[in-house]
Amino acid sequence: MTEPIKIDIWSDVACPWCYIGKRKLENGIEAYSSDGEALPVEIEYHSYELSPETPVDFEGDEYDFLAAKGYPREQLEGMLTRVTSIASDVGLDYDYDHLKHTNTVKAHQLIHYAKAHGRQLDMKERLLKAYFVDGRHVGHVSDLADLAAEIGLDRDDVIRSLEADEYLADVRADQAEAQRLGIQGVPFFVLDGKYGVSGAQDAAVFADVLRQVQASRVEVGA
């Protein structure tokens, strides 16, 4: 059986470009997979916190959050309109009016929990949609457990895991690996352990990189 192309993705739940990049990657994989000789693709998500200092209960809206980060308030409306438009182009209905800023370390632990139970990709998708589209809180243990239960995970066991910080070491290991690789922003994609793609590139870019990875395997006799 041909070895799949592995895509490791560093991403944050609270990153608008990460959700957009996820959709563009998925579309790129679909385009690549339509090739007759395409290889299977395997995806794994890794933790990256853009704003680890954010409190679980942030007081304020998106404008307050970005202004505190140093963005001029007079530019924010245009920025958010642009991001919302780009998200819409890939079928995502961002709702910044109801978005709830929070610390994402527990959400990252939940993604690792879901990985251990074979549901990482489903959990990642649910968390991103909850945050950017549904206006749900993704920082409280009880809210995270509700979202986990929606995809079929054991709510009580999720609470146990998150309250015990069962997967915090895994989150920190992902972050340490990002630092080792020199990753300074997300989304960041590593294909086959050696090809890096930074940012929410167009689907065609991902499809082309996948074809290049496959071609490079043929060249080295993989």
Side-chain angles (χ1 to χ4, degrees), residues 117-131:
H117 292 78
R119 301 297 301 276
Q120 189 198 46
L121 300 187
D122 294 329
M123 194 73 258
K124 180 71 174 184
E125 173 68 24
R126 187 66 194 97
L127 286 166
L128 287 165
K129 183 175 184 293
Y131 187 76

Side-chain angles (χ1 to χ4, degrees), residues 166-193:
E166 183 178 19
Y167 290 96
L168 181 58
D170 297 272
V171 173
R172 298 307 182 214
D174 279 351
Q175 294 169 332
E177 179 66 5
Q179 188 172 27
R180 186 189 73 79
L181 292 171
I183 297 172
Q184 298 181 332
V186 287
F188 194 89
F189 308 82
V190 178
L191 293 84
D192 248 15

Side-chain angles (χ1 to χ4, degrees), residues 31-95:
Y32 162 74
S33 298
S34 66
D35 298 345
E37 301 298 322
L39 297 174
V41 177
E42 176 185 333
I43 294 172
E44 181 175 348
Y45 279 94
H46 300 276
S47 304
Y48 192 102
E49 290 179 272
L50 284 172
S51 300
E53 74 285 354
T54 303
V56 172
D57 292 302
F58 177 82
E59 294 185 5
D61 59 15
E62 179 72 7
Y63 291 90
D64 297 322
F65 181 82
L66 292 175
K69 291 286 185 182
Y71 292 95
R73 279 191 175 269
E74 62 272 14
Q75 297 178 13
L76 294 182
E77 184 173 355
M79 286 173 51
L80 296 180
T81 297
R82 175 174 174 266
V83 173
T84 300
S85 176
I86 294 171
S88 179
D89 288 343
V90 291
L92 302 174
D93 187 17
Y94 280 11
D95 184 359

Side-chain angles (χ1 to χ4, degrees), residues 18 50 81 101 103 107 109 125 157 159 170 178 190 201 217:
C18 291
L50 284 172
T81 297
H101 276 286
N103 189 288
Q109 291 182 55
E125 173 68 24
D157 195 54
I159 291 173
D170 297 272
V190 178
Q201 302 292 333
R217 284 191 182 183

Side-chain angles (χ1 to χ4, degrees), residues 3-7 32 39-42 192 210 213-214 217:
E3 189 73 17
I5 297 174
K6 175 75 179 299
I7 305 179
Y32 162 74
L39 297 174
V41 177
E42 176 185 333
D192 248 15
L210 285 164
V213 171
Q214 181 174 347
R217 284 191 182 183

